[in-house]
Amino acid sequence: MATHQDTAAAEGAGLKDVVVDTLSAAGTAIRQLASGLSTALLAPLVLLWAAVTAVTSPVGVGLLMAPAVLRALHALAGKERARLGRWGPEVVSPDPPPTRLRLALVDPATRRELRWLVRHATLGLLLGLLGALLPLLAVRDTTFPLYWQLAPKDATATSLGFGSAHSWPDALAVSLLGLGWIIIILGLGPGMARLQMRPGRQLLAAGPDVDLSLRVAELTATRAAALDAHAVELRRIERSLHDGTQNRIVSVTVLLGAARRMVARDPAGADELLERAQSAAEQALAELRAVSRSILPPVLDDRGLAGALLGLAAQSAVPCTIDVDVPERCAAAVEATAYFVVAEALTNIAKHSGAHNAAVTARGRGGRLRLRVEDDGRGGADEDGGSGLTGIRRRIAALDGNLTLASPPGGPTTLEVDLPCGS
């Protein structure tokens, strides 16, 4: 009997995981499709401008517009590369493309950008619009039975623009259409997102024949930042040991020596010194533990990233909620960086923001770990203004990650971090 119960429990847990993963994948796909509109809405305008330039070039007008069109094309392609990098592996850009017409006509990267522009202005735009509209259609039709009696008598019942509801069965039939939209989102959403991103990943990345010296220079700078961050961390550990733990141990040694000399002539005084020595030893031990935790928190090995972040939330001076969905373990360096980023962010929130609540979200998808730390404080945080944020930025740069900070005056403040899981 117990075996059947265990099997049923395991099947229930497995089904729950499948449902959660499906919903999460669909939600991510919808956000990816909707984010594609940031470039897909501009793509037809740039494509039309390029067509007008090509048509009017024989009479000379297009030749004057060509540099501006090329700059707009390259800027839009760069924006799409940045978007794709936020949702997956980085798209390495080629050398700075030319803006002179004669050079652009023979430049392979420019021709690939034009091919991407045509696809993104058509299929990419269509998929982006579907990603934005499908959730609205699903909500509209699924909830139709709740308000159909309040609608005008001959109003269209469905989101497709036909049919009228005159009875409860009609209204329920409309809700079935809404369920159909939901099924489409769950089943086709991830594939639609991949289809929208595929042209950009294929056509906007640097080819094998492209000189990647700029990327090498960037990685060299990142490596220098990593070494600098490592040196800063070593100095911090040295100061903690020298100014704190070492002084405590010296104090213990002095107190023990004094107690040893006093034990024969003044046992009570020696006992007091031993008590002080024990207290100093306990403080030194606590400081050693704090230093060791700051190097690599043991809680990451014991409880994983989710447990470590829950521990940070429990210790936070500002009430904090944690939402972690990281199905697979990341590299130890990545998890440690995520831990320290959240710890430093929560410390900054408690010290400077005046917030009443904070929220930490962690998601692991597609080989990337994404963190989001939000608070309802006064805002005005400056990414370059404080040592805490500077330290966060250095840690993230050392792993070739990205940091985005939004903190308008009056709040709220949102810190977003994107890290490669395998670093």
Side-chain angles (χ1 to χ4, degrees), residues 257-270 273:
R260 181 184 177 190
R261 291 189 294 271
M262 292 178 60
V263 68
R265 70 175 187 273
D266 187 3
L273 290 178

Side-chain angles (χ1 to χ4, degrees), residues 21 25 80 118 125 128 145 171 196 207 228 280 327 344 351 364 367 418:
D21 291 343
E80 179 69 5
V118 173
L125 178 59
Q196 186 195 55
D228 185 47
E344 186 64 37
K351 287 183 177 180
D418 183 11

Side-chain angles (χ1 to χ4, degrees), residues 190-216:
M192 293 166 58
R194 289 192 296 270
L195 185 60
Q196 186 195 55
M197 292 184 173
R198 185 177 301 161
R201 295 201 174 277
Q202 291 178 343
L203 300 173
L204 298 183
D209 56 336
V210 173
D211 181 12
L212 296 180
S213 58
L214 292 178
R215 179 58 176 160
V216 172

Side-chain angles (χ1 to χ4, degrees), residues 85-88 305 309 323 325-326 330 333-346 348 359-365 367-374 383 388-406 413-421 423:
R86 290 193 296 269
W87 292 105
L305 183 61
L309 295 184
D323 181 11
D325 181 14
V326 184
C330 297
V334 176
E335 290 190 346
T337 296
Y339 178 88
F340 287 122
V341 165
V342 174
E344 186 64 37
L346 292 179
N348 289 343
V360 177
T361 305
R363 293 287 184 268
R365 290 290 183 276
R368 310 289 295 186
L369 175 62
R370 294 180 176 85
L371 299 173
R372 183 182 179 93
V373 184
E374 303 172 273
E383 184 176 337
L389 286 172
T390 300
I392 289 176
R393 188 175 63 254
R394 284 177 175 173
R395 283 184 178 272
I396 295 168
L399 296 178
D400 203 19
N402 299 311
L403 179 146
T404 304
L405 177 67
T413 296
T414 301
L415 177 72
E416 294 183 340
V417 174
D418 183 11
L419 295 169
C421 278
S423 294

